Amino acid sequence: MRRNWRQPDWPNFRWNSDARAALESSFLQQSGVVIGVAKHLGDDDRINIIPM
């Protein structure tokens, strides 16, 4: 993947809203699962998996 400033249309960005919406929806759903799991972990387990 090229850096933003190396794209031929820099700085005139374009994106596909439908494709982005699908990716955003997937991300939000998966992050909700992670948050739900983390809330049910005990303190010892949470300390072991979440870097501080």
Side-chain angles (χ1 to χ4, degrees):
M1 184 171 171
R2 289 193 276 177
R3 303 282 186 192
N4 288 347
W5 58 88
R6 293 188 183 246
Q7 299 296 329
D9 58 349
W10 170 265
N12 302 315
F13 300 110
R14 293 184 311 268
W15 61 84
N16 180 331
S17 295
D18 294 334
R20 198 184 107 217
L23 291 171
E24 183 179 16
S25 176
S26 176
F27 169 79
L28 291 172
Q29 182 177 8
Q30 293 174 26
S31 61
V33 169
V34 171
I35 291 169
V37 168
K39 286 187 177 192
H40 289 88
L41 293 174
D43 290 337
D44 291 338
D45 292 327
R46 195 175 300 123
I47 288 170
N48 289 327
I49 65 165
I50 300 175
M52 298 284 177

Short mmCIF file of all heavy atoms in Angstrom, two decimals:
data_model
loop_
_atom_site.label_atom_id
_atom_site.label_comp_id
_atom_site.label_asym_id
_atom_site.label_seq_id
_atom_site.Cartn_x
_atom_site.Cartn_y
_atom_site.Cartn_z
N MET A 1 0.84 -1.18 0.00
CA MET A 1 0.00 0.00 0.00
C MET A 1 0.88 1.24 0.00
O MET A 1 1.79 1.37 0.82
CB MET A 1 -0.90 -0.02 1.23
CG MET A 1 -1.87 1.08 1.29
SD MET A 1 -3.01 0.75 2.66
CE MET A 1 -3.86 2.26 2.71
N ARG A 2 0.61 2.14 -0.90
CA ARG A 2 1.41 3.36 -0.98
C ARG A 2 0.96 4.38 0.06
O ARG A 2 -0.19 4.39 0.49
CB ARG A 2 1.26 3.98 -2.36
CG ARG A 2 1.95 3.18 -3.43
CD ARG A 2 2.05 3.96 -4.69
NE ARG A 2 0.82 3.81 -5.45
CZ ARG A 2 0.58 4.43 -6.58
NH1 ARG A 2 1.47 5.24 -7.09
NH2 ARG A 2 -0.55 4.25 -7.21
N ARG A 3 1.88 5.22 0.45
CA ARG A 3 1.57 6.31 1.36
C ARG A 3 0.60 7.28 0.70
O ARG A 3 0.57 7.40 -0.52
CB ARG A 3 2.84 7.06 1.75
CG ARG A 3 3.89 6.19 2.38
CD ARG A 3 3.55 5.92 3.79
NE ARG A 3 4.65 5.20 4.42
CZ ARG A 3 4.56 4.64 5.58
NH1 ARG A 3 3.46 4.70 6.25
NH2 ARG A 3 5.57 4.00 6.09
N ASN A 4 -0.18 7.99 1.52
CA ASN A 4 -1.16 8.93 0.99
C ASN A 4 -0.56 9.90 0.00
O ASN A 4 -1.12 10.15 -1.07
CB ASN A 4 -1.81 9.73 2.13
CG ASN A 4 -2.76 8.89 2.94
OD1 ASN A 4 -3.13 7.80 2.54
ND2 ASN A 4 -3.14 9.39 4.08
N TRP A 5 0.56 10.49 0.34
CA TRP A 5 1.14 11.53 -0.51
C TRP A 5 1.76 10.98 -1.78
O TRP A 5 2.16 11.72 -2.65
CB TRP A 5 2.16 12.37 0.27
CG TRP A 5 3.28 11.57 0.83
CD1 TRP A 5 4.45 11.25 0.21
CD2 TRP A 5 3.34 10.95 2.10
NE1 TRP A 5 5.24 10.49 1.01
CE2 TRP A 5 4.58 10.28 2.21
CE3 TRP A 5 2.46 10.89 3.20
CZ2 TRP A 5 4.95 9.57 3.34
CZ3 TRP A 5 2.84 10.18 4.32
CH2 TRP A 5 4.07 9.54 4.37
N ARG A 6 1.82 9.67 -1.91
CA ARG A 6 2.35 9.06 -3.14
C ARG A 6 1.24 8.60 -4.08
O ARG A 6 1.51 8.07 -5.15
CB ARG A 6 3.26 7.90 -2.79
CG ARG A 6 4.52 8.36 -2.08
CD ARG A 6 5.48 7.21 -1.92
NE ARG A 6 6.63 7.68 -1.17
CZ ARG A 6 7.85 7.76 -1.67
NH1 ARG A 6 8.07 7.40 -2.91
NH2 ARG A 6 8.84 8.18 -0.93
N GLN A 7 0.00 8.80 -3.68
CA GLN A 7 -1.12 8.47 -4.54
C GLN A 7 -1.21 9.47 -5.69
O GLN A 7 -0.93 10.66 -5.50
CB GLN A 7 -2.43 8.47 -3.74
CG GLN A 7 -2.48 7.48 -2.60
CD GLN A 7 -2.41 6.04 -3.07
OE1 GLN A 7 -2.87 5.70 -4.14
NE2 GLN A 7 -1.80 5.19 -2.25
N PRO A 8 -1.58 9.03 -6.88
CA PRO A 8 -1.61 9.95 -8.03
C PRO A 8 -2.60 11.10 -7.86
O PRO A 8 -2.41 12.16 -8.46
CB PRO A 8 -2.00 9.05 -9.21
CG PRO A 8 -2.47 7.77 -8.63
CD PRO A 8 -1.95 7.68 -7.24
N ASP A 9 -3.64 10.91 -7.06
CA ASP A 9 -4.64 11.98 -6.90
C ASP A 9 -4.47 12.77 -5.60
O ASP A 9 -5.38 13.48 -5.18
CB ASP A 9 -6.05 11.41 -6.98
CG ASP A 9 -6.32 10.34 -5.94
OD1 ASP A 9 -5.36 9.89 -5.28
OD2 ASP A 9 -7.48 9.95 -5.78
N TRP A 10 -3.32 12.69 -4.98
CA TRP A 10 -3.04 13.44 -3.75
C TRP A 10 -3.18 14.93 -4.02
O TRP A 10 -2.70 15.39 -5.04
CB TRP A 10 -1.64 13.12 -3.24
CG TRP A 10 -1.17 14.01 -2.14
CD1 TRP A 10 -0.41 15.13 -2.29
CD2 TRP A 10 -1.42 13.89 -0.75
NE1 TRP A 10 -0.17 15.70 -1.09
CE2 TRP A 10 -0.79 14.97 -0.11
CE3 TRP A 10 -2.14 13.00 0.03
CZ2 TRP A 10 -0.85 15.16 1.26
CZ3 TRP A 10 -2.19 13.18 1.39
CH2 TRP A 10 -1.55 14.26 1.98
N PRO A 11 -3.79 15.73 -3.23
CA PRO A 11 -4.57 15.46 -2.02
C PRO A 11 -6.08 15.40 -2.28
O PRO A 11 -6.88 15.65 -1.38
CB PRO A 11 -4.23 16.65 -1.14
CG PRO A 11 -4.12 17.79 -2.10
CD PRO A 11 -3.54 17.17 -3.37
N ASN A 12 -6.50 15.11 -3.48
CA ASN A 12 -7.93 15.04 -3.83
C ASN A 12 -8.45 13.63 -3.59
O ASN A 12 -8.44 12.78 -4.47
CB ASN A 12 -8.13 15.45 -5.30
CG ASN A 12 -7.61 16.84 -5.55
OD1 ASN A 12 -7.86 17.75 -4.79
ND2 ASN A 12 -6.83 16.99 -6.61
N PHE A 13 -8.91 13.38 -2.38
CA PHE A 13 -9.32 12.04 -1.98
C PHE A 13 -10.70 11.68 -2.51
O PHE A 13 -11.59 12.52 -2.60
CB PHE A 13 -9.33 11.92 -0.46
CG PHE A 13 -8.00 12.17 0.16
CD1 PHE A 13 -7.78 13.31 0.91
CD2 PHE A 13 -6.97 11.27 -0.01
CE1 PHE A 13 -6.55 13.55 1.48
CE2 PHE A 13 -5.73 11.50 0.55
CZ PHE A 13 -5.53 12.65 1.31
N ARG A 14 -10.85 10.39 -2.84
CA ARG A 14 -12.14 9.82 -3.22
C ARG A 14 -12.28 8.50 -2.48
O ARG A 14 -11.28 7.84 -2.20
CB ARG A 14 -12.19 9.57 -4.72
CG ARG A 14 -12.17 10.83 -5.55
CD ARG A 14 -12.31 10.49 -7.03
NE ARG A 14 -11.40 9.44 -7.47
CZ ARG A 14 -10.19 9.65 -7.97
NH1 ARG A 14 -9.72 10.85 -8.10
NH2 ARG A 14 -9.45 8.64 -8.36
N TRP A 15 -13.51 8.14 -2.18
CA TRP A 15 -13.72 6.84 -1.55
C TRP A 15 -15.09 6.33 -1.92
O TRP A 15 -15.97 7.07 -2.35
CB TRP A 15 -13.57 6.91 -0.03
CG TRP A 15 -14.54 7.84 0.64
CD1 TRP A 15 -15.81 7.56 1.02
CD2 TRP A 15 -14.31 9.20 0.98
NE1 TRP A 15 -16.40 8.65 1.58
CE2 TRP A 15 -15.48 9.69 1.57
CE3 TRP A 15 -13.24 10.05 0.85
CZ2 TRP A 15 -15.61 10.97 2.02
CZ3 TRP A 15 -13.37 11.34 1.30
CH2 TRP A 15 -14.55 11.78 1.88
N ASN A 16 -15.26 5.05 -1.73
CA ASN A 16 -16.53 4.39 -2.00
C ASN A 16 -17.29 4.31 -0.68
O ASN A 16 -16.93 3.54 0.21
CB ASN A 16 -16.26 2.99 -2.57
CG ASN A 16 -17.53 2.24 -2.88
OD1 ASN A 16 -18.56 2.44 -2.25
ND2 ASN A 16 -17.45 1.35 -3.85
N SER A 17 -18.34 5.11 -0.55
CA SER A 17 -19.09 5.17 0.71
C SER A 17 -19.70 3.83 1.09
O SER A 17 -19.74 3.47 2.26
CB SER A 17 -20.18 6.23 0.62
OG SER A 17 -19.62 7.50 0.47
N ASP A 18 -20.18 3.08 0.11
CA ASP A 18 -20.79 1.78 0.41
C ASP A 18 -19.76 0.80 0.97
O ASP A 18 -20.02 0.10 1.93
CB ASP A 18 -21.45 1.20 -0.83
CG ASP A 18 -22.65 2.01 -1.30
OD1 ASP A 18 -23.26 2.69 -0.45
OD2 ASP A 18 -22.94 1.97 -2.51
N ALA A 19 -18.59 0.75 0.35
CA ALA A 19 -17.54 -0.15 0.83
C ALA A 19 -17.07 0.27 2.20
O ALA A 19 -16.83 -0.57 3.08
CB ALA A 19 -16.37 -0.17 -0.15
N ARG A 20 -16.93 1.56 2.42
CA ARG A 20 -16.49 2.05 3.72
C ARG A 20 -17.53 1.76 4.79
O ARG A 20 -17.20 1.38 5.92
CB ARG A 20 -16.21 3.55 3.65
CG ARG A 20 -15.36 4.03 4.81
CD ARG A 20 -15.18 5.52 4.77
NE ARG A 20 -16.03 6.00 5.85
CZ ARG A 20 -16.74 7.09 5.83
NH1 ARG A 20 -16.72 7.88 4.81
NH2 ARG A 20 -17.48 7.43 6.83
N ALA A 21 -18.81 1.91 4.47
CA ALA A 21 -19.87 1.65 5.44
C ALA A 21 -19.87 0.18 5.87
O ALA A 21 -20.07 -0.13 7.04
CB ALA A 21 -21.22 2.04 4.85
N ALA A 22 -19.64 -0.71 4.93
CA ALA A 22 -19.60 -2.14 5.26
C ALA A 22 -18.43 -2.45 6.19
O ALA A 22 -18.59 -3.19 7.17
CB ALA A 22 -19.50 -2.97 3.98
N LEU A 23 -17.28 -1.88 5.90
CA LEU A 23 -16.11 -2.09 6.76
C LEU A 23 -16.32 -1.48 8.14
O LEU A 23 -15.96 -2.07 9.16
CB LEU A 23 -14.86 -1.49 6.11
CG LEU A 23 -14.37 -2.21 4.86
CD1 LEU A 23 -13.27 -1.40 4.18
CD2 LEU A 23 -13.88 -3.60 5.20
N GLU A 24 -16.91 -0.29 8.19
CA GLU A 24 -17.16 0.37 9.47
C GLU A 24 -18.15 -0.44 10.31
O GLU A 24 -17.96 -0.61 11.52
CB GLU A 24 -17.70 1.77 9.23
CG GLU A 24 -17.92 2.56 10.49
CD GLU A 24 -18.42 3.96 10.22
OE1 GLU A 24 -18.87 4.25 9.10
OE2 GLU A 24 -18.37 4.77 11.15
N SER A 25 -19.19 -0.96 9.68
CA SER A 25 -20.17 -1.77 10.39
C SER A 25 -19.53 -3.03 10.98
O SER A 25 -19.77 -3.39 12.13
CB SER A 25 -21.30 -2.15 9.44
OG SER A 25 -22.20 -3.01 10.07
N SER A 26 -18.70 -3.68 10.19
CA SER A 26 -18.00 -4.88 10.66
C SER A 26 -17.08 -4.54 11.83
O SER A 26 -17.04 -5.27 12.83
CB SER A 26 -17.19 -5.48 9.51
OG SER A 26 -16.44 -6.58 9.96
N PHE A 27 -16.35 -3.44 11.72
CA PHE A 27 -15.46 -3.02 12.80
C PHE A 27 -16.24 -2.76 14.08
O PHE A 27 -15.85 -3.21 15.16
CB PHE A 27 -14.68 -1.77 12.40
CG PHE A 27 -13.94 -1.15 13.55
CD1 PHE A 27 -12.74 -1.69 13.99
CD2 PHE A 27 -14.46 -0.05 14.21
CE1 PHE A 27 -12.07 -1.13 15.06
CE2 PHE A 27 -13.79 0.51 15.28
CZ PHE A 27 -12.60 -0.04 15.72
N LEU A 28 -17.34 -2.03 13.98
CA LEU A 28 -18.12 -1.70 15.17
C LEU A 28 -18.69 -2.95 15.83
O LEU A 28 -18.69 -3.07 17.05
CB LEU A 28 -19.24 -0.73 14.81
CG LEU A 28 -18.79 0.67 14.43
CD1 LEU A 28 -19.96 1.49 13.90
CD2 LEU A 28 -18.12 1.36 15.60
N GLN A 29 -19.16 -3.89 15.02
CA GLN A 29 -19.70 -5.13 15.58
C GLN A 29 -18.61 -5.92 16.29
O GLN A 29 -18.79 -6.39 17.42
CB GLN A 29 -20.32 -5.97 14.48
CG GLN A 29 -20.94 -7.25 15.01
CD GLN A 29 -21.62 -8.05 13.92
OE1 GLN A 29 -21.52 -7.75 12.74
NE2 GLN A 29 -22.30 -9.11 14.31
N GLN A 30 -17.46 -6.07 15.66
CA GLN A 30 -16.37 -6.84 16.25
C GLN A 30 -15.80 -6.16 17.49
O GLN A 30 -15.45 -6.83 18.46
CB GLN A 30 -15.29 -7.09 15.21
CG GLN A 30 -15.76 -8.01 14.11
CD GLN A 30 -14.76 -8.15 12.99
OE1 GLN A 30 -13.57 -7.98 13.19
NE2 GLN A 30 -15.24 -8.46 11.80
N SER A 31 -15.72 -4.84 17.49
CA SER A 31 -15.20 -4.15 18.67
C SER A 31 -16.19 -4.27 19.82
O SER A 31 -15.79 -4.36 20.99
CB SER A 31 -14.88 -2.69 18.37
OG SER A 31 -16.03 -1.98 17.97
N GLY A 32 -17.48 -4.32 19.51
CA GLY A 32 -18.48 -4.54 20.55
C GLY A 32 -18.33 -5.90 21.20
O GLY A 32 -18.49 -6.05 22.42
N VAL A 33 -18.00 -6.90 20.40
CA VAL A 33 -17.78 -8.25 20.94
C VAL A 33 -16.58 -8.23 21.88
O VAL A 33 -16.62 -8.79 22.98
CB VAL A 33 -17.58 -9.26 19.79
CG1 VAL A 33 -17.09 -10.59 20.33
CG2 VAL A 33 -18.86 -9.44 19.01
N VAL A 34 -15.50 -7.58 21.46
CA VAL A 34 -14.29 -7.51 22.29
C VAL A 34 -14.59 -6.80 23.62
O VAL A 34 -14.17 -7.26 24.69
CB VAL A 34 -13.14 -6.81 21.54
CG1 VAL A 34 -11.96 -6.53 22.45
CG2 VAL A 34 -12.71 -7.64 20.35
N ILE A 35 -15.31 -5.71 23.56
CA ILE A 35 -15.64 -4.97 24.78
C ILE A 35 -16.51 -5.85 25.69
O ILE A 35 -16.30 -5.89 26.91
CB ILE A 35 -16.35 -3.65 24.44
CG1 ILE A 35 -15.35 -2.70 23.78
CG2 ILE A 35 -16.97 -3.02 25.68
CD1 ILE A 35 -15.99 -1.47 23.15
N GLY A 36 -17.48 -6.55 25.11
CA GLY A 36 -18.33 -7.43 25.90
C GLY A 36 -17.55 -8.53 26.59
O GLY A 36 -17.79 -8.84 27.76
N VAL A 37 -16.63 -9.12 25.88
CA VAL A 37 -15.79 -10.18 26.47
C VAL A 37 -14.94 -9.61 27.59
O VAL A 37 -14.83 -10.19 28.67
CB VAL A 37 -14.91 -10.85 25.39
CG1 VAL A 37 -13.85 -11.73 26.02
CG2 VAL A 37 -15.77 -11.64 24.42
N ALA A 38 -14.32 -8.46 27.35
CA ALA A 38 -13.44 -7.85 28.35
C ALA A 38 -14.19 -7.52 29.64
O ALA A 38 -13.64 -7.64 30.73
CB ALA A 38 -12.78 -6.60 27.79
N LYS A 39 -15.46 -7.14 29.52
CA LYS A 39 -16.24 -6.80 30.72
C LYS A 39 -16.53 -8.02 31.58
O LYS A 39 -16.80 -7.89 32.77
CB LYS A 39 -17.55 -6.13 30.32
CG LYS A 39 -17.34 -4.71 29.84
CD LYS A 39 -18.64 -4.01 29.61
CE LYS A 39 -18.36 -2.57 29.21
NZ LYS A 39 -19.55 -1.75 29.24
N HIS A 40 -16.47 -9.21 31.00
CA HIS A 40 -16.76 -10.42 31.75
C HIS A 40 -15.51 -11.12 32.26
O HIS A 40 -15.60 -12.17 32.89
CB HIS A 40 -17.60 -11.38 30.90
CG HIS A 40 -18.99 -10.89 30.70
ND1 HIS A 40 -19.34 -10.06 29.68
CD2 HIS A 40 -20.11 -11.08 31.44
CE1 HIS A 40 -20.62 -9.77 29.77
NE2 HIS A 40 -21.11 -10.38 30.83
N LEU A 41 -14.34 -10.57 32.01
CA LEU A 41 -13.11 -11.15 32.51
C LEU A 41 -12.85 -10.68 33.94
O LEU A 41 -13.21 -9.57 34.30
CB LEU A 41 -11.92 -10.72 31.64
CG LEU A 41 -11.88 -11.25 30.21
CD1 LEU A 41 -10.73 -10.61 29.46
CD2 LEU A 41 -11.77 -12.75 30.19
N GLY A 42 -12.20 -11.53 34.68
CA GLY A 42 -11.78 -11.14 36.01
C GLY A 42 -10.59 -10.20 35.92
O GLY A 42 -9.95 -10.06 34.88
N ASP A 43 -10.27 -9.53 37.02
CA ASP A 43 -9.16 -8.58 37.03
C ASP A 43 -7.84 -9.22 36.64
O ASP A 43 -7.07 -8.64 35.87
CB ASP A 43 -9.02 -7.93 38.41
CG ASP A 43 -10.17 -6.97 38.71
OD1 ASP A 43 -10.80 -6.48 37.74
OD2 ASP A 43 -10.42 -6.72 39.89
N ASP A 44 -7.56 -10.42 37.14
CA ASP A 44 -6.31 -11.10 36.81
C ASP A 44 -6.20 -11.39 35.32
O ASP A 44 -5.17 -11.17 34.70
CB ASP A 44 -6.15 -12.39 37.61
CG ASP A 44 -5.93 -12.14 39.09
OD1 ASP A 44 -5.48 -11.04 39.45
OD2 ASP A 44 -6.23 -13.07 39.88
N ASP A 45 -7.28 -11.89 34.74
CA ASP A 45 -7.27 -12.19 33.31
C ASP A 45 -7.15 -10.92 32.49
O ASP A 45 -6.44 -10.88 31.49
CB ASP A 45 -8.54 -12.93 32.90
CG ASP A 45 -8.61 -14.33 33.49
OD1 ASP A 45 -7.53 -14.94 33.65
OD2 ASP A 45 -9.72 -14.79 33.79
N ARG A 46 -7.83 -9.87 32.85
CA ARG A 46 -7.79 -8.62 32.13
C ARG A 46 -6.37 -8.02 32.13
O ARG A 46 -5.89 -7.55 31.11
CB ARG A 46 -8.77 -7.62 32.74
CG ARG A 46 -9.05 -6.44 31.85
CD ARG A 46 -10.11 -5.49 32.39
NE ARG A 46 -11.38 -6.18 32.59
CZ ARG A 46 -12.03 -6.23 33.76
NH1 ARG A 46 -11.54 -5.62 34.83
NH2 ARG A 46 -13.17 -6.86 33.87
N ILE A 47 -5.70 -8.11 33.25
CA ILE A 47 -4.33 -7.60 33.36
C ILE A 47 -3.40 -8.37 32.41
O ILE A 47 -2.50 -7.79 31.81
CB ILE A 47 -3.84 -7.68 34.81
CG1 ILE A 47 -4.55 -6.63 35.66
CG2 ILE A 47 -2.32 -7.50 34.90
CD1 ILE A 47 -4.33 -6.78 37.15
N ASN A 48 -3.64 -9.67 32.26
CA ASN A 48 -2.78 -10.50 31.42
C ASN A 48 -2.97 -10.28 29.93
O ASN A 48 -2.04 -10.53 29.15
CB ASN A 48 -2.98 -11.98 31.74
CG ASN A 48 -2.41 -12.34 33.08
OD1 ASN A 48 -1.40 -11.78 33.51
ND2 ASN A 48 -3.04 -13.27 33.76
N ILE A 49 -4.14 -9.82 29.49
CA ILE A 49 -4.36 -9.68 28.04
C ILE A 49 -4.33 -8.24 27.54
O ILE A 49 -4.17 -8.02 26.36
CB ILE A 49 -5.69 -10.32 27.60
CG1 ILE A 49 -6.88 -9.60 28.20
CG2 ILE A 49 -5.71 -11.80 27.89
CD1 ILE A 49 -8.18 -9.93 27.53
N ILE A 50 -4.49 -7.28 28.40
CA ILE A 50 -4.51 -5.88 27.98
C ILE A 50 -3.18 -5.22 28.35
O ILE A 50 -2.88 -5.07 29.53
CB ILE A 50 -5.69 -5.11 28.62
CG1 ILE A 50 -7.01 -5.76 28.20
CG2 ILE A 50 -5.64 -3.65 28.21
CD1 ILE A 50 -8.22 -5.17 28.85
N PRO A 51 -2.37 -4.85 27.34
CA PRO A 51 -1.08 -4.21 27.66
C PRO A 51 -1.29 -2.84 28.30
O PRO A 51 -2.17 -2.10 27.91
CB PRO A 51 -0.41 -4.09 26.30
CG PRO A 51 -1.50 -4.21 25.30
CD PRO A 51 -2.63 -4.96 25.92
N MET A 52 -0.49 -2.56 29.25
CA MET A 52 -0.57 -1.26 29.95
C MET A 52 0.58 -0.38 29.54
O MET A 52 1.62 -0.73 29.27
CB MET A 52 -0.54 -1.45 31.46
CG MET A 52 -1.68 -2.26 31.96
SD MET A 52 -3.15 -1.24 31.98
CE MET A 52 -4.36 -2.40 32.50
#
